[in-house]
């Protein structure tokens, strides 16, 4: 009975006893979830347009952040280093399309997946050669990102919210809204969606495969830069940031590989639920450190009942 009480009753009693702390935990989960969703969006966009699972998205986050910091260390002002970094990500997208993807058109999916692993290894070597392997400080203040915090006293308690986290959430929301408007309202956005729905039909009406690939890889690079800035402000800029991209995998399994809305909702779900589980179940019952595996267990449970994810399309084949 004590064990059942500790699982089903005590956590909710703890939430009710300290609602201010619950608000703090929920906010931290929202911030983490937004960042997970951003990383997952990079995977979804590339997969929708090319059927490629981009294993290199994680190292793109690191490479973009390192480029931004490296340019600033060379004496370039932050306001100029930012668009220059976007230019580097555009050149990277063009190079990937020309050198890697174009020669592999119509090759099996596993070949394209292995190619993204090769891109990952190349960017790791290039990044270490140019920028070195040591941890670097993100130019948070130079970019105009506030570093103070707000304090609130709800229910007689204390809640502290970092201004940089507010900036991250607002920036992510703006980025997602702009992306959705682009995909749904612009000609190129509709072309990306058409290519994802039916490659052959899209090509037959004159949609350029190479142009779309460059565009989606550049958008993925923009998302990687935004993610790198936020995560770099929290944990510094190093190649360890690549591990964060692994959290996008359960988000994709939960939301579906082809669903933009699934990536957003799945990221928020995992960010919030893993924080709640860590604080109210993981630490009291398991000694903590559940954030490293909870998202994968949650995704596994979902896949057992819905293999295409919560928002993926069920594919029915008749033979």
């Amino acid at each position: 009975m004590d064990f059942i009480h500790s699982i089903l009753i005590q956590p909710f009693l703890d939430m009710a006893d300290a609602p201010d702390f619950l608000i703090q935990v929920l906010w931290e989960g929202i911030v983490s979830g937004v960042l997970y969703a951003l990383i997952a969006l990079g995977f979804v966009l590339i997969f929708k347009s090319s059927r490629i699972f981009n294993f290199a998205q994680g190292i793109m986050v690191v490479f973009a952040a390192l480029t931004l910091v490296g340019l600033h260390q060379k004496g370039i002002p932050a306001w100029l280093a930012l668009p220059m970094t976007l230019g580097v990500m555009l050149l990277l997208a063009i190079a990937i399309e020309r050198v890697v993807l174009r020669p592999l058109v119509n090759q099996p999916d596993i070949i394209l997946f292995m190619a993204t692993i090769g891109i990952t290894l190349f960017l790791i070597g290039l990044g270490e050669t140019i920028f070195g392997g040591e941890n670097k400080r993100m130019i948070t203040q130079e970019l105009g990102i506030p570093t103070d915090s707000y304090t609130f006293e709800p229910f007689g308690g204390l809640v502290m919210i970092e201004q940089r986290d507010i900036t991250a959430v607002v920036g992510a929301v703006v980025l997602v809204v702009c992306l959705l408007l682009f995909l749904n309202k612009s000609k190129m956005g509709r072309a990306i969606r058409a290519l994802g729905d039916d490659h052959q039909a899209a090509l037959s009406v004159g949609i350029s495969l190479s142009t779309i690939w460059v565009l989606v890889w550049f958008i993925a690079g923009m998302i990687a830069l935004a993610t790198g800035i936020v995560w770099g402000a929290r944990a510094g800029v190093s190649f360890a940031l690549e591990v964060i991209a692994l959290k996008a995998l359960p988000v994709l399994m939960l939301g579906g590989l082809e669903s933009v809305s699934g990536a957003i909702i799945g990221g928020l779900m995992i960010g919030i639920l893993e924080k709640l589980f860590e604080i109210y179940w993981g630490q009291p019952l398991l000694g903590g450190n559940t954030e490293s595996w909870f998202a994968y267990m949650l995704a596994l449970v979902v896949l057992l009942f819905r293999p295409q994810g919560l928002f993926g399309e069920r594919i029915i084949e008749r033979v």
Side-chain angles (χ1 to χ4, degrees):
M1 291 297 295
D2 290 340
F3 181 70
I4 295 176
H5 181 273
S6 63
I7 294 177
L8 299 180
I9 299 176
Q10 188 60 49
F12 298 100
L13 292 177
D14 293 338
M15 294 179 194
D17 289 340
D20 59 313
F21 183 63
L22 174 62
I23 293 173
Q24 184 78 59
V25 173
L26 290 173
W27 170 251
E28 294 293 332
I30 289 172
V31 175
S32 297
V34 165
L35 298 179
Y36 295 158
L38 277 181
I39 301 175
L41 277 174
F43 285 95
V44 169
L45 283 174
I46 291 177
F47 188 83
K48 278 180 69 69
S49 65
S50 59
R51 321 307 296 178
I52 299 173
F53 184 82
N54 179 23
F55 189 81
Q57 187 66 26
I59 193 60
M60 287 172 64
V61 172
V62 179
F63 190 80
L66 285 173
T67 301
L68 177 63
V69 174
L71 289 173
H72 186 263
Q73 289 179 341
K74 296 295 184 181
I76 299 174
W79 61 267
L80 183 57
L82 189 61
M84 289 181 66
T85 302
L86 289 175
V88 171
M89 300 311 291
L90 175 59
L91 292 176
L92 178 64
I94 294 173
I96 289 173
E97 191 278 326
R98 293 288 178 87
V99 178
V100 180
L101 300 182
R102 187 177 296 185
L104 296 179
V105 172
N106 296 325
Q107 293 297 316
D109 293 343
I110 187 62
I111 300 297
L112 295 170
F113 173 69
M114 294 299 294
T116 66
I117 296 178
I119 294 171
T120 300
L121 298 176
F122 172 77
L123 290 179
I124 290 174
L126 181 63
E128 289 181 341
T129 300
I130 298 176
F131 306 110
E134 68 277 3
N135 197 347
K136 296 177 173 59
R137 181 188 70 84
M138 174 53 65
I139 52 174
T140 308
Q141 293 179 326
E142 292 85 347
L143 291 171
I145 300 174
T147 55
D148 294 332
S149 61
Y150 296 115
T151 56
F152 305 93
E153 298 181 359
F155 306 103
L158 180 66
V159 174
M160 182 177 295
I161 298 179
E162 298 282 346
Q163 291 182 5
R164 66 185 179 189
D165 290 342
I166 297 176
T167 305
V169 171
V170 172
V173 170
V174 171
L175 182 60
V176 168
V177 170
C178 291
L179 179 61
L180 291 175
L181 289 174
F182 171 75
L183 290 175
N184 291 292
K185 301 299 182 181
S186 70
K187 181 178 179 180
M188 293 302 294
R190 289 192 292 269
I192 292 174
R193 293 169 57 202
L195 199 61
D197 292 337
D198 191 325
H199 261 73
Q200 295 302 322
L203 294 175
S204 67
V205 297
I207 294 177
S208 171
L209 183 63
S210 60
T211 301
I212 296 299
W213 277 2
V214 169
L215 180 60
V216 295
W217 278 81
F218 175 56
I219 294 174
M222 293 174 60
I223 294 172
L225 176 58
T227 308
I229 290 173
V230 176
W231 276 112
R234 303 179 106 207
V237 180
S238 70
F239 285 91
L241 286 179
E242 184 185 1
V243 179
I244 296 171
L246 295 178
K247 277 295 180 71
L249 300 181
V251 173
L252 294 170
M253 290 186 283
L254 193 66
L257 268 173
E258 299 184 30
S259 175
V260 173
S261 59
I264 298 168
I265 298 173
L268 289 173
M269 285 179 60
I270 285 181
I272 293 172
L273 290 177
E274 75 173 9
K275 289 293 183 183
L276 290 173
F277 188 85
E278 166 73 16
I279 298 299
Y280 294 103
W281 283 271
Q283 292 181 5
L285 300 176
L286 303 174
N289 199 32
T290 61
E291 288 186 66
S292 60
W293 55 263
F294 173 79
Y296 301 96
M297 293 300 297
L298 177 63
L300 177 61
V301 171
V302 171
L303 289 179
L304 289 176
F305 298 95
R306 190 173 172 84
Q308 71 273 28
L310 294 177
F311 302 94
E313 296 182 1
R314 185 186 295 272
I315 299 175
I316 300 175
E317 295 184 359
R318 291 181 172 87
V319 295

